[in-house]
Amino acid sequence: IIIPNSQTVYSEKMPEYMGDISGDTRLKLTTRYLRKRGVTNSLDLPDALIAAKSEGELYNNTEDSLNSRGAYVAYRAALEHLPDDVLAGIAAVELQENDFVKHTTAGKELARIASLEDKIKNRTVSLSSDFVQKYDIHLKFDDYEMSSPKMQYKNDLPSYPRMLLQYSSDWDRIIMTDYFSNTFGTVIYNLSSAPTKEMLNKDPAYAFCFIHEKDLHLLADGSLMPEK
């Protein structure tokens, strides 16, 4: 699942002198490459995020990363790629605008680079404190952690399927944990570069791997370059 750069979603906010976004961005090259080879188990998120822009800010303003509202859009889009029989057995997290809170925090990465995190504030969007966490993180190791339903919610959350989630950014894992663990109960969050044998022995039925558009060069080789 490819999380687009904020300028891909908010291209209308880019300075006019920069011109239109190229037709050969890493995201577009990757998408064309996968479609040409008939790969159907990939998802890029620009359409879903662009459609949700009217609901409020989806990205942090001082870092190229999703906020809790943007993460919710990514979560719902990911669910749509699961089989119908799986969707029939789960209850997706349903949120309204008043389930999010807006507050100002210290500036994130872009502000920190300029040593201005105390002056350039981040417009943070997070889940309300009223959000009920129906899970506990009960296994924590260097390379993965695992959630399971709290005792009082064991009848609310399915015992199967187990999910394996991997992120190229730990921030994405943090802000999506509430959504996925409140849906599936038992979720394995991979914190390393690749799933280990121990993780796979937990018998995950489905896996989602999230990677940022800006990190796609880590996957690319010469075959992704546009044809001359």
Side-chain angles (χ1 to χ4, degrees):
I1 299 175
I2 303 172
I3 299 174
N5 296 337
S6 56
Q7 61 265 33
T8 299
V9 176
Y10 291 98
S11 58
E12 74 279 3
K13 295 185 180 293
M14 299 298 291
E16 289 187 8
Y17 67 80
M18 296 190 70
D20 296 333
I21 293 180
S22 168
D24 290 328
T25 62
R26 288 171 182 158
L27 176 59
K28 292 178 179 178
L29 288 171
T30 303
T31 299
R32 289 203 299 266
Y33 177 89
L34 295 174
R35 288 176 179 170
K36 185 176 179 180
R37 286 155 179 78
V39 176
T40 59
N41 61 347
S42 66
L43 170 66
D44 54 67
L45 296 170
D47 290 345
L49 289 164
I50 289 170
K53 284 195 297 186
S54 61
E55 299 173 13
E57 287 184 290
L58 305 174
Y59 285 76
N60 292 298
N61 62 295
T62 59
E63 184 175 76
D64 194 6
S65 61
L66 296 172
N67 59 29
S68 288
R69 184 187 287 111
Y72 179 66
V73 174
Y75 152 79
R76 293 304 299 251
L79 291 189
E80 292 177 5
H81 273 241
L82 290 172
D84 290 341
D85 61 326
V86 173
L87 296 177
I90 63 172
V93 174
E94 298 286 349
L95 296 177
Q96 306 298 325
E97 179 56 29
N98 59 5
D99 292 312
F100 296 102
V101 293
K102 304 173 187 176
H103 48 109
T104 301
T105 58
K108 290 180 171 288
E109 181 183 23
L110 297 178
R112 289 196 297 267
I113 289 173
S115 299
L116 294 172
E117 62 268 32
D118 293 331
K119 296 186 179 298
I120 302 177
K121 300 298 185 180
N122 193 71
R123 297 188 299 273
T124 299
V125 177
S126 56
L127 280 173
S128 164
S129 59
D130 293 332
F131 183 85
V132 177
Q133 290 183 337
K134 298 181 178 181
Y135 66 92
D136 285 318
I137 300 295
H138 71 103
L139 285 178
K140 282 192 174 184
F141 300 98
D142 290 340
D143 52 358
Y144 79 96
E145 62 185 33
M146 185 170 170
S147 68
S148 64
K150 291 180 177 177
M151 186 65 65
Q152 63 267 40
Y153 297 113
K154 279 190 176 292
N155 293 330
D156 295 350
L157 299 177
S159 57
Y160 195 82
R162 291 183 172 183
M163 303 293 295
L164 172 64
L165 273 65
Q166 180 166 333
Y167 296 92
S168 64
S169 161
D170 201 44
W171 171 252
D172 296 326
R173 176 189 61 80
I174 291 169
I175 60 174
M176 291 190 198
T177 294
D178 279 341
Y179 303 138
F180 283 103
S181 288
N182 256 36
T183 302
F184 296 99
T186 302
V187 181
I188 304 153
Y189 295 95
N190 181 12
L191 309 179
S192 61
S193 58
T196 64
K197 182 178 180 180
E198 185 175 357
M199 293 179 214
L200 297 178
N201 284 342
K202 300 295 182 184
D203 194 28
Y206 298 96
F208 287 139
C209 178
F210 290 85
I211 185 169
H212 280 256
E213 176 182 355
K214 61 188 175 186
D215 296 326
L216 285 174
H217 66 283
L218 300 175
L219 305 179
D221 57 29
S223 58
L224 281 181
M225 297 303 293
E227 296 178 2
K228 301 295 184 182

